[in-house]
């Protein structure tokens, strides 16, 4: 899927003066990496957590009301959203190699990236392969694989990032591009570094569900 880069930028300009929140995984990056939420469990734009521990339905934040094109895009996605954010990787910043937890389509969850502003010096590596994501394109990545990003350009890189929950509509979309067999769930392999980062993120949340997951990871 492709979206209009000019309209994406127009909506982005409307929210640039909103306070952007530093990403909570501070051990995971160097430089400036910040975010605002377009949808969140409490409807607040500073609630940028991607992991909805209480499985609470998310709602539009106040800033989404002014972004008609972002709304149109989200309305065209006929699946339940788990998180909707704008993520800004500043010029010169980098996200270190890491893996996320249960963010492959085979897990029942998935992540979509839509570049709003990017440049040719952004190096996005997924599973040892470079992905070149152009403005307005919609990308699915399996974030269970090791990935990293370096913004070597002079402009910030801003993506609209949508986490969704798999359903029949998304199955039709995904399986039109690739065989269903390509989305079989493999045996999970979590290295110690990734496990430590996951535990740190869950400790920040400090909920009953998060603490239970921490105990499972420590086992």
């Amino acid at each position: 899927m492709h979206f209009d880069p000019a309209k994406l930028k127009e909506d982005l300009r409307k929210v640039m003066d909103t306070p952007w929140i530093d990403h909570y995984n501070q051990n995971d990056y160097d430089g400036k990496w910040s975010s605002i939420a377009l949808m969140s469990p409490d409807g607040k734009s500073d609630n940028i957590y991607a992991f909805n521990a209480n499985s609470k339905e998310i709602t539009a934040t106040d800033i989404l009301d002014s972004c008609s094109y972002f709304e149109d895009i989200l309305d065209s996605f006929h699946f339940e959203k788990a998180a909707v954010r704008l993520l800004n990787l500043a010029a010169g910043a980098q996200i270190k190699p890491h893996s996320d937890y249960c963010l492959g389509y085979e897990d029942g969850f998935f992540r979509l990236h839509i570049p709003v502003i990017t440049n040719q010096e952004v190096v996005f590596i997924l599973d040892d392969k470079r992905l070149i994501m152009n403005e307005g394109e919609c990308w699915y990545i399996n974030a269970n694989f090791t990935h990293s990003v370096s913004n070597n350009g002079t402009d910030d890189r801003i993506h609209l990032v949508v986490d969704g929950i798999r359903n029949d509509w998304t199955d039709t979309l995904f399986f039109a591009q690739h065989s269903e067999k390509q989305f079989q769930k493999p045996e999970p392999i979590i290295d110690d570094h990734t496990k430590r980062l996951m535990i740190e993120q869950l400790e920040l949340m400090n909920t009953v569900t998060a603490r239970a997951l921490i105990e499972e990871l420590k086992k």
Side-chain angles (χ1 to χ4, degrees):
M1 292 180 286
H2 294 76
F3 300 100
D4 189 324
K7 290 183 178 179
L8 288 169
K9 290 184 175 69
E10 182 180 349
D11 270 7
L12 177 63
R13 282 193 290 269
K14 298 174 184 176
V15 302
M16 285 305 296
D17 291 335
T18 302
W20 290 63
I21 309 301
D22 289 342
H23 198 284
Y24 43 85
N25 268 348
Q26 296 189 3
N27 293 328
D28 236 6
Y29 62 95
D30 292 321
K32 184 74 171 176
W33 189 26
S34 57
S35 178
I36 52 176
L38 299 181
M39 298 182 73
S40 69
D42 55 10
K44 295 181 179 178
S45 60
D46 61 355
N47 187 348
I48 62 169
Y49 285 105
F51 180 63
N52 186 357
N54 297 318
S55 299
K56 184 178 179 181
E57 183 177 354
I58 64 174
T59 58
T61 64
D62 53 349
I63 62 174
L64 182 59
D65 293 337
S66 64
C67 301
S68 58
Y69 193 57
F70 289 159
E71 284 187 304
D72 289 345
I73 291 172
L74 295 174
D75 288 344
S76 73
F77 292 154
H78 301 298
F79 54 80
E80 183 179 348
K81 286 78 175 176
V84 181
R85 301 167 294 161
L86 290 166
L87 286 164
N88 183 349
L89 187 67
Q94 62 175 342
I95 303 170
K96 300 174 185 177
H98 69 286
S99 301
D100 292 300
Y101 180 62
C102 286
L103 261 177
Y105 193 71
E106 63 274 10
D107 298 304
F109 294 88
F110 58 94
R111 174 163 291 170
L112 301 179
H113 280 254
I114 302 172
V116 181
I117 294 177
T118 191
N119 62 79
Q120 294 182 345
E121 302 303 316
V122 171
V123 179
F124 192 118
I125 303 295
L126 175 71
D127 195 29
D128 295 326
K129 299 178 181 67
R130 183 180 180 185
L131 304 183
I132 298 177
M133 303 183 187
N134 297 308
E135 293 176 358
E137 296 177 347
C138 182
W139 282 75
Y140 158 73
I141 68 163
N142 189 331
N144 292 335
F145 289 99
T146 299
H147 54 286
S148 63
V149 192
S150 296
N151 184 358
N152 301 320
T154 57
D155 298 316
D156 293 353
R157 185 213 73 158
I158 302 178
H159 281 196
L160 171 60
V161 180
V162 181
D163 291 353
I165 298 175
R166 177 177 176 173
N167 64 14
D168 290 342
W169 185 87
T170 61
D171 277 354
T172 300
L173 182 68
F174 274 67
F175 299 159
Q177 304 297 324
H178 295 283
S179 165
E180 185 174 355
K181 292 180 180 179
Q182 292 182 263
F183 297 101
Q184 299 298 319
K185 188 175 177 65
E187 289 296 321
I189 300 174
I190 306 175
D191 59 53
D192 289 340
H193 174 70
T194 301
K195 189 180 297 185
R196 185 170 66 254
L197 292 176
M198 291 165 57
I199 290 173
E200 288 176 0
Q201 179 178 340
L202 292 166
E203 285 174 340
L204 287 172
M205 301 178 70
N206 194 29
T207 63
V208 173
T209 304
R211 289 192 291 272
L213 287 171
I214 288 171
E215 291 304 313
E216 287 298 315
L217 287 168
K218 287 181 176 179
K219 292 178 183 178

